């Protein structure tokens, strides 16, 4: 099959390759994809001085409460996060990164930066502009379809 006639298939294939490369680069950290993504989200919120409640993670990652609880429990067992009760509402829990969690996330970011540079080297400045332009157009068109 000629991928030039199926650009989205090429994007999906590239996405699969990218995920395999990332998984290999992060294998020694022992994080699943959802654990890594959640850790990254918590880190970004921490850098913006924002608190994250467990309920927000359900909405952000579009997963059930039980799934969020399971992921958080695994991250707690690994010493990456902890839950803190919210004053005034014992049902709400704030999820915070531990110092170790911050350290692991910084390692993840360094490795992702290295991978980005590796990819960045194969495109000329003009190709990068074209790539980003094409991606924005496709994303805009797909968002217009309102599939959520």
């Amino acid at each position: 099959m000629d991928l030039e006639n199926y650009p989205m298939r090429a994007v999906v294939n590239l996405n699969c390759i990218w995920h395999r490369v990332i998984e290999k680069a992060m294998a020694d950290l022992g994080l699943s994809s959802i654990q890594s993504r959640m850790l990254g989200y918590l880190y970004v919120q921490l850098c913006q001085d924002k608190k994250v409640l467990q309920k927000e993670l359900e909405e952000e990652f579009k997963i059930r409460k039980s799934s969020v609880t399971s992921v958080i429990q695994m991250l707690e067992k690994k010493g990456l996060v902890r839950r803190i009760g919210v004053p005034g509402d014992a049902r709400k829990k704030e999820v915070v990164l531990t110092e170790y969690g911050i350290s692991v996330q910084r390692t993840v970011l360094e490795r992702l930066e290295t991978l980005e540079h590796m990819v960045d080297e194969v495109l000329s400045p003009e190709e990068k502009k074209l790539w980003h332009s094409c991606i924005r157009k496709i994303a805009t068109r797909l968002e217009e379809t309102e599939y959520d």
Side-chain angles (χ1 to χ4, degrees), residues 110-121:
E110 287 170 9
R111 291 179 187 182
L112 287 174
E113 187 75 20
T114 299
L115 292 172
E116 285 282 352
H117 285 303
M118 178 185 71
V119 171
D120 192 51
E121 292 173 348

Side-chain angles (χ1 to χ4, degrees), residues 96-109:
V96 296
L97 289 172
T98 62
E99 287 300 318
Y100 178 58
I102 292 169
S103 172
V104 168
Q105 183 56 30
R106 287 182 178 149
T107 298
V108 167
L109 291 173

Side-chain angles (χ1 to χ4, degrees), residues 73-100:
Q73 286 173 342
M74 287 304 298
L75 292 173
E76 283 179 314
K77 284 181 185 176
K78 294 176 183 194
L80 300 167
V81 301
R82 58 189 170 90
R83 285 182 275 192
I84 302 171
V86 174
D89 193 342
R91 296 171 296 166
K92 291 183 179 179
K93 300 290 182 198
E94 180 183 353
V95 183
V96 296
L97 289 172
T98 62
E99 287 300 318
Y100 178 58

Side-chain angles (χ1 to χ4, degrees), residues 65-79:
K65 180 179 181 177
S66 60
S67 297
V68 170
T69 299
S70 176
V71 173
I72 291 171
Q73 286 173 342
M74 287 304 298
L75 292 173
E76 283 179 314
K77 284 181 185 176
K78 294 176 183 194

